[in-house]
Structure formats: structure tokens, C-alpha cells
Amino acid sequence: MLRQYELTERVCSYDPGADEDSLNRAYVYAMQKHGTQLRASGDPYFSHPVEVAGLLSEKRLDAASIMTGLLHDTVEDTDATLDEISKLFGDEVSGLVDGVTKLSQLELQSEQNKQAENFRKLVLAMSKDIRVLLVKLADRLHNMSTLHFIKKEEKRRRISRETMDIYVPLAERVGVRDWKEQLEELAFRELNPDARSSILKRLDFLNNEEGGLIDRVIKELQGLMDQHGLNAKVTGRQKSPYSIWRKMQRQNVGFEQLSDIMAFRVIVEDPNECYQALGVIHGQYTVVPGRFKDYVSLPKPNGYQSLHTGVIGPENQRIEIQIRTQHMHEVAELGVAAHWVYKGQSNDGSEPEVKPGHIANKEGNQYRWLRDMLDIMSNAAGPDEFLEHTKMEMFSDQVFVFTPKGDLHALPRGATPIDFAYSVHSEVGDHCVAAKVNGRIVPLRTKLRNGDQLEISTSKGQTPNPSWESFVVTGKARASIRRFIRSKQREQYISLGKEILENTFRQADYELTEKALKSILDKHGADTIETLHARIGEGQVTGREVLYSVYPGAKESQQVAKKMPQTRAKDLPAHAIPIRGLIPGMALHYAKCCHPLPGDRIVGIVTTGKGVTIHTIDCRTLEAFADMPERWIDVSWDMDSDEKSSFVGRISAVISNEPGALASLTTTIGRDGGNINNLKFTNRGQDFFDIMVDVEVTDVRQLSNIIAALRASSVVNTVERSQG
């Protein structure tokens, strides 16, 4: 454990202007407050905040961060208060302690939704001051190093999984590489001890067999640099067990098939020498295709810069080599902490323009990921959805693409133009209608590649398509699309619910008043009439239940209506609810068993939690609802509407097994304005094929015209509209 004077001297060695008195007082205050408290290991509890402060000092963080490390558990675990800390150490330290304390309080609860809420609060806290995250990472790192003292295996695994899911990618995002690797290893040791042990044994065997190989490779690479007049320092190491295991999983190979388990680093004096060193290495050794990456000209979002290459190097070993300057190395090792060292201090000792830890627009891409997380938070329905989207955002390899003006955007691998549009701005994503990649119009689901240049076309009338959710990969895009779907669903549920309720009261010949509805809101779990309408439209409450709540006597008179619903529905009452061209999958769902089309006689079935499913009047599925009249809704097509929506009709056909038969069938469908949505062969014979075709049409009349045209074709043996 660091002594008081050792910690103070270490901080003052890199920050001469640090307030020694405040550091010493914080050390003593924390020691007194924690008193005789013990950790699970049996050590004095005070050893934990001291170790956290020590980890922060290794990253050369400012005095306020070090004091926060010392004090971060005092409010949570002792009688200390934020007011007291503010009076003794200032508002800045008090604010940082408050940010870390709120997270720690939630972290004690293990449920999934608590973990999600914890993460949401972490993003909020670090959006105000990134140092909150650095203190939290140091806190988690020391807790993980003593995790083995916790007796319950389930708790150890839960903490390790949370570390791997949340804190490892966050450490990666802020560029604290060594903390990231340590957290990975400590979590890996708990989550998969057998795999880790196996890899360690194989590494030990290799080291014994090839004794001194890393030193020999370093010596040869160093000699090569010296020979070409480059003032470089070469270091090397064996990759960590977790890094090796992850590569085995990703590439689906065994340990024996991995040949680049060693990584070497060449540190040069300036960026130009990075490329000179690369030329020397590529000129001397065989390059492994596809392994070169230039993060010098295209830095990672966390500021990381380096050249990466893979070669068949000394002694015919396949190795990975990273080439960077000393400054790039500092940033790679310290991440955001290095960013503070270089930008948070000015040469004349004056107050910097941007305070340490605070996000500003001038930080460029350094904090773009954090601003994206804030956007995701505003669009997510709750903490669980936020956690889901941000995991998508953080766990991904990257692809770099450009705007027409040359601005760089880093996206997850597999990203599409829709993801790019949302990364530019939420409004661009919401109104995206088309995309050009490298000057050529492409489908919106096209996967982007490194170096692509994108141009997005927008329209004010365009809104997010629910189908986009199936192929976007960024959390920001998915959260925005879901936000739109939720808002449209609610609008449609309210509209549909209102019509269902009015129709129910009208058919029962009862008056529907706002006053009457307000009196029964609590009974049906609604706080407003709008919410009640939404619950009815969603199928959570039926129109009859509301009717019986307002007029209890109506229940007896309605018993006579329990005759077969099919008979009642076939009479097509005058007060049927008109069905317009709503977005499929929202308040209305068109049954896949009968594929109803405008012009068909239809009926609606209330589906709990989904709204109303529309069936044709002769659909066999309706037999299952014969004893549930309360779920039947009288509906009809709004044939007078100007909206021309597409609906899917299904046909079954038997066609001749001869050249050109399928082409003739598709041409006939297209000639009558149909668009083939799906085509499937259901039976293949020597002379004939049975096929099922889904065709987009506007109404049943158009589908009938297509069927008539197909019956006149010489290659079609039989054709009919299909049910099911």
C-alpha cells in the first residue's frame, strides 16, 4: 500500500502545481473515515482507495482525480457527506465523488435492470466529466484483482461478466490499453479458467522449446533499424492468454494453427520515420496479406495512432509489428489520460481553455462515441434497451468511410448507409431516401467497406422504415428507428382504440362521454383517456370491458350477441371500422394465413399486445375464435381513401418444366402491374413444377386480373389464389 508521502511525491513529480496540502488531507480524511473497516481479503478497507489513487497516479492524472480516488467510497460506506467533502476539498472533487458514488450504490444490486440503470448513469456522469470514468475503471481494476477473495462463485462470475460486457469496452474506448488488458485477463480467469490454464500451459511449452525467441527477434529487428540509420527502439512481448483465446474463437482455429502469438513494437522519433521503418521491414520480410493497417493517417476514435503489419519475420516466424512515435506510444498507453496531460496543461501554467475531463466540440472525434451514447439514451425506451444498443456500439471492429467533403466517420464493421446517415445526424438518418457509394446508387442495406465515400439523399416526407431495424448495426441507428416505431405505434393504437370504443358503444346503443371514461380510467390501468384508447388499440383492454365498466347493466343485454361471430360478421354492419393503408406491423397486422386484400370481406381479431389482426371472412383460422366474440371487431376497407398502399397476395401455380416457363410467368405478372415479393418451389416433378408466388398488388381486383392472365398462358397448367 502506498504511503502518504509516496503518493504525494508521485503526483508532484508530474504535476508540480498540485495542491500537496489537499492531497495529504484527503489521504488522512479517508483513512479516518474508513477506520477499522475490512475488505473480503481481511485487509484494511482503506487499502482499496489508496490503491485506486495509486493506479490513477500511474496515469498522471490531476490532483482532483487522485483525491476522488481516495474519497470515492467515503460517502457510500462511511458517515461522510457530499457537503462535508465540498467544504473540505472543493466543489470539483465533490462533484466527481458524487458521480462515482451514485454508480457504486446501484452496482450493489445484481438484477439485469439495475446493471442497465447503472450503466445509463455512468454515461450521464462521464458525459459531464470523463474523469468519473477513469476513477471508476481504476476502482473496478483493483476490485477485480482481489475478486478471488469473494466466496460465492455466482457473484464472482456476475462481476466478471459485467466487467467484460461494460468496463473492458469502455477502457478500450478511452484508450487505456493496459487497464483494458488487465481487466480482460482477470475476468477471463474467472469466466473460463480451463481455457486460460490450457493456453498458459501451451505458452510455457513453447517458451521452453524456443527459449529466448522473442529476444532473438528483437535483436534482429533492432539491427535492421540501425543498419538503415533509424533511431528506433524495439520491444516485444507474447500476446495475453485472453487475446489468443479470442483470436481462436474469432477465426475458429486451434492453438496449433495460430502463428502470430508474438507482437513487437518499433518506436521511432517522428511520423515520417514510421513509414520509413515500415518500408525497411516490408523490404526485408515477406508480408502477410491483409494484415496492414494504417492508424497514423486514420486514427481510431480514441486517438490511437500506429502502423500495424504482419510479416514472416526472423527465424521464419509469423509476427505482428506495430510502428509508432514516442508521442503516439504515450497516447496508446495512457489514452484519455494522455489527452489531459497534453491538452489540460499550458506551458505558462495558466488555466487551459478546456477544463480537464470536460467534453467540448473542439475535441473532434475523441468523444464522438460518447455523444452518440447520449443520443442513444434519449431514444431508448428504457435502461435495458439502452444497454443493448450501447453494447452493439462498443463491441465491434471498425470500418472507415468518408463524406463527400472528406470528413472521416468510423463505423462498426457491417455498417450500412443508414448507419452512416445516423452517424452524420439523427435528422439525416430519419429522412434518408437513397445513398451513393463512390458515386453509384446502392441499396440502403449495402455493407460499407474501408475507404468508401458516401453521399446521402434526404426528403422531408421520408420517415424511418421499420424494416431498417433488421439490417442496421449501430446502436444509435437502431435506437432512433425504434423510437419512431414506438411513436407511430402509439399514434395508431390511439386512433384504432378510439374507433373500436366508439363502434362498441354505437352498436350497443349507449352514449359515450368523456366524463364517463374519466371515471373508469384507474380500473383499466390508464392515467388519461388517450392512454385508455392506446390500451384498447393494443388489445390490452377490449371495447366491451370498457362498456361494461361504464354501464354494468349492458352486460346482460349483450349476452344475446353470443351467437356465432362468423354469421354476425358476414352481415357487414354499417358501422364497421374503416381500414386505411397503415404501416404493416403497427396497430394493424394482416394475417399471413389468408393474405387479405382490399376488396375482400374481412374481420378483425384483437391480439393482446399487438393490436388487431385482419383476416378474410372465410379464413379457417377464425374457427379458433368462435367462442371469443369479445375479440371480434367489425372492419371494412376504406375504398374511398386516396392512399394507394401495396398488399401481398399469394397464388399457387403449376407450370410446365420447360425452358422459359418461369420467365413467361414472371413477365405476365409484371405486365399486369404486380411486383413479385417472394417465390418458392413447393414440388419439382419431371413434367411440372408447383410454385407459390407472393405478389404485391393494390387490391383483390388486380390479383384477379393477374390470375386470369396466367390462366391464359400456355406454360401455366393451373393457378389459383392460395390460402395459408
Side-chain angles (χ1 to χ4, degrees):
M1 185 173 72
L2 276 174
R3 296 182 181 275
Q4 182 178 339
Y5 74 89
E6 292 175 329
L7 179 62
T8 305
E9 286 180 358
R10 181 186 291 181
V11 176
C12 291
S13 66
Y14 63 81
D15 186 5
D19 187 343
E20 293 185 52
D21 178 58
S22 294
L23 282 168
N24 287 323
R25 284 190 292 110
Y27 190 101
V28 173
Y29 180 86
M31 181 167 57
Q32 290 175 341
K33 287 296 181 181
H34 286 295
T36 58
Q37 292 176 348
L38 299 176
R39 288 174 62 79
S41 62
D43 294 333
Y45 192 92
F46 177 60
S47 63
H48 169 64
V50 171
E51 291 298 330
V52 170
L55 289 168
L56 295 168
S57 68
E58 290 175 3
K59 298 299 180 190
R60 298 187 287 176
L61 283 169
D62 62 322
S65 300
I66 307 302
M67 286 189 279
T68 303
L70 290 168
L71 303 169
H72 77 274
D73 276 337
T74 53
V75 175
E76 171 65 24
D77 296 328
T78 75
D79 61 358
T81 65
L82 287 172
D83 288 340
E84 188 177 1
I85 289 176
S86 181
K87 290 176 183 177
L88 292 172
F89 306 103
D91 292 339
E92 182 182 15
V93 173
S94 174
L96 290 170
V97 171
D98 184 32
V100 180
T101 299
K102 287 179 180 176
L103 305 176
S104 299
Q105 288 172 339
L106 282 161
E107 204 168 70
L108 298 174
Q109 306 175 63
S110 60
E111 294 91 339
Q112 172 70 16
N113 64 325
K114 298 301 182 186
Q115 181 199 55
E117 176 65 15
N118 175 27
F119 185 55
R120 189 184 71 85
K121 287 185 177 290
L122 172 60
V123 172
L124 278 175
M126 68 190 187
S127 69
K128 297 175 183 176
D129 198 316
I130 200 70
R131 290 174 293 178
V132 169
L133 175 58
L134 294 172
V135 174
K136 195 64 193 170
L137 287 174
D139 174 43
R140 177 52 63 111
L141 180 56
H142 184 252
N143 281 333
M144 287 298 296
S145 69
T146 59
L147 187 67
H148 55 284
F149 289 110
I150 295 177
K151 294 180 180 179
K152 292 184 179 179
E153 180 184 357
E154 181 182 347
K155 185 176 181 180
R156 294 197 307 271
R157 291 183 65 83
R158 175 183 63 79
I159 294 172
S160 297
R161 175 52 56 195
E162 183 182 71
T163 298
M164 200 70 89
D165 284 351
I166 295 176
Y167 292 99
V168 165
L170 282 174
E172 163 74 17
R173 285 290 186 169
V174 294
V176 194
R177 184 192 58 81
D178 57 337
W179 285 5
K180 167 187 171 286
E181 291 183 353
Q182 290 176 56
L183 287 170
E184 282 177 338
E185 281 303 308
L186 291 167
F188 184 47
R189 181 172 65 184
E190 186 62 44
L191 295 173
N192 206 333
D194 293 339
R196 182 174 181 273
S197 176
S198 174
I199 291 172
L200 285 172
K201 287 178 181 177
R202 297 187 182 201
L203 289 175
D204 288 341
F205 175 78
L206 282 179
N207 290 334
N208 292 332
E209 287 285 308
E210 302 171 346
L213 176 61
I214 291 178
D215 290 337
R216 296 197 301 273
V217 173
I218 290 174
K219 185 177 180 180
E220 183 169 330
L221 290 176
Q222 186 69 62
L224 188 63
M225 295 297 109
D226 295 341
Q227 179 183 335
H228 287 80
L230 288 169
N231 185 16
K233 178 184 177 183
V234 181
T235 60
R237 64 184 178 89
Q238 210 165 51
K239 291 185 177 180
S240 67
Y242 177 74
S243 175
I244 293 172
W245 179 82
R246 185 173 58 182
K247 180 167 285 190
M248 290 167 59
Q249 298 298 307
R250 190 168 59 238
Q251 298 180 0
N252 194 27
V253 297
F255 183 88
E256 297 80 4
Q257 295 169 276
L258 290 178
S259 52
D260 55 344
I261 60 175
M262 294 177 293
F264 296 87
R265 190 169 295 137
V266 179
I267 308 294
V268 295
E269 293 184 336
D270 64 65
N272 289 332
E273 291 184 350
C274 290
Y275 294 98
Q276 292 177 32
L278 178 71
V280 169
I281 291 169
H282 282 186
Q284 181 70 20
Y285 304 112
T286 302
V287 178
V288 178
R291 294 303 304 273
F292 173 64
K293 294 178 182 177
D294 186 349
Y295 295 120
V296 172
S297 61
L298 292 175
K300 289 186 178 182
N302 59 18
Y304 176 89
Q305 288 184 290
S306 186
L307 297 178
H308 290 195
T309 188
V311 298
I312 308 299
E315 301 190 25
N316 222 26
Q317 294 289 328
R318 179 170 163 170
I319 59 175
E320 178 184 290
I321 300 176
Q322 301 169 358
I323 308 169
R324 61 180 70 146
T325 65
Q326 183 61 38
H327 173 71
M328 294 174 190
H329 182 62
E330 290 279 343
V331 173
E333 293 298 302
L334 299 175
V336 168
H339 183 74
W340 174 78
V341 169
Y342 290 109
K343 297 194 76 170
Q345 296 176 332
S346 53
N347 294 331
D348 58 4
S350 62
E351 182 75 8
E353 185 177 353
V354 180
K355 290 183 179 180
H358 290 263
I359 297 174
N361 289 333
K362 67 190 297 179
E363 302 295 339
N365 287 328
Q366 181 83 9
Y367 295 113
R368 173 185 284 274
W369 63 276
L370 187 48
R371 285 192 289 270
D372 284 348
M373 283 191 184
L374 293 175
D375 286 342
I376 292 171
M377 186 184 300
S378 66
N379 292 331
D384 286 339
E385 188 175 305
F386 172 60
L387 182 61
E388 173 198 343
H389 294 330
T390 46
K391 282 183 180 179
M392 289 171 55
E393 201 78 11
M394 292 190 297
F395 284 100
S396 55
D397 294 329
Q398 292 182 317
V399 59
F400 297 94
V401 296
F402 299 89
T403 67
K405 294 182 178 179
D407 296 332
L408 175 69
H409 284 256
L411 297 169
R413 193 163 298 280
T416 65
I418 293 294
D419 294 294
F420 171 78
Y422 276 107
S423 77
V424 173
H425 196 280
S426 296
E427 287 292 312
V428 177
D430 285 345
H431 301 300
C432 174
V433 292
K436 285 184 179 180
V437 175
N438 304 324
R440 185 171 61 90
I441 294 178
V442 299
L444 293 178
R445 64 187 310 128
T446 302
K447 291 185 178 181
L448 303 177
R449 295 180 295 182
N450 269 319
D452 280 345
Q453 185 180 65
L454 278 89
E455 181 180 348
I456 301 295
S457 299
T458 60
S459 169
K460 290 183 179 180
Q462 174 69 9
T463 56
N465 189 324
S467 66
W468 290 354
E469 190 184 349
S470 65
F471 59 77
V472 296
V473 299
T474 59
K476 183 178 180 181
R478 184 159 294 182
S480 297
I481 295 165
R482 284 189 180 178
R483 178 201 60 191
F484 167 78
I485 292 173
R486 283 195 302 270
S487 67
K488 292 300 291 184
Q489 276 180 330
R490 181 168 173 81
E491 288 176 17
Q492 292 188 11
Y493 284 147
I494 290 171
S495 176
L496 181 62
K498 185 177 181 181
E499 292 196 57
I500 289 174
L501 195 59
E502 290 175 349
N503 204 41
T504 301
F505 274 70
R506 188 185 302 114
Q507 287 182 341
D509 200 22
Y510 281 93
E511 183 183 5
L512 175 63
T513 65
E514 188 173 305
K515 180 180 178 181
L517 292 182
K518 285 182 177 178
S519 67
I520 51 93
L521 289 178
D522 289 342
K523 184 175 181 180
H524 296 288
D527 53 355
T528 64
I529 292 177
E530 218 176 46
T531 302
L532 179 62
H533 286 153
R535 286 179 61 78
I536 294 170
E538 195 176 353
Q540 302 289 353
V541 180
T542 67
R544 288 192 183 191
E545 287 173 341
V546 176
L547 173 66
Y548 299 156
S549 296
V550 176
Y551 299 106
K555 192 167 187 178
E556 294 179 7
S557 62
Q558 289 288 305
Q559 296 298 319
V560 296
K562 282 195 172 183
K563 56 184 178 179
M564 283 296 286
Q566 288 94 329
T567 303
R568 180 177 56 82
K570 285 180 181 179
D571 293 338
L572 286 178
H575 300 301
I577 297 171
I579 300 301
R580 302 175 182 86
L582 300 180
I583 299 174
M586 295 288 189
L588 291 177
H589 302 261
Y590 300 106
K592 298 293 179 66
C593 49
C594 54
H595 295 278
L597 298 173
D600 285 327
R601 299 174 72 187
I602 54 175
V603 67
I605 299 295
V606 176
T607 309
T608 305
K610 294 180 66 177
V612 174
T613 303
I614 307 300
H615 295 262
T616 59
I617 203 68
D618 55 355
C619 179
R620 294 175 183 174
T621 305
L622 296 178
E623 296 175 6
F625 301 98
D627 296 327
M628 292 178 276
E630 70 280 358
R631 296 181 63 180
W632 290 65
I633 302 293
D634 294 320
V635 293
S636 64
W637 297 106
D638 184 7
M639 304 304 289
D640 297 328
S641 174
D642 292 332
E643 297 180 39
K644 292 299 180 182
S645 301
S646 293
F647 297 84
V648 176
R650 175 168 290 179
I651 58 177
S652 297
V654 178
I655 63 173
S656 301
N657 183 4
E658 61 182 72
L662 187 59
S664 177
L665 178 137
T666 57
T667 300
T668 302
I669 292 174
R671 189 186 303 123
D672 280 273
N675 180 45
I676 295 177
N677 179 281
N678 189 32
L679 186 149
K680 181 181 180 181
F681 287 88
T682 57
N683 185 40
R684 297 170 185 265
Q686 184 174 350
D687 299 318
F688 297 98
F689 284 165
D690 294 357
I691 63 173
M692 186 177 291
V693 187
D694 289 343
V695 185
E696 289 182 0
V697 292
T698 56
D699 53 32
V700 70
R701 182 177 178 180
Q702 185 182 9
L703 185 67
S704 298
N705 289 340
I706 290 173
I707 291 175
L710 289 173
R711 284 174 178 159
S713 172
S714 60
V715 299
V716 177
N717 183 268
T718 60
V719 60
E720 60 185 14
R721 185 175 176 184
S722 175
Q723 293 278 351

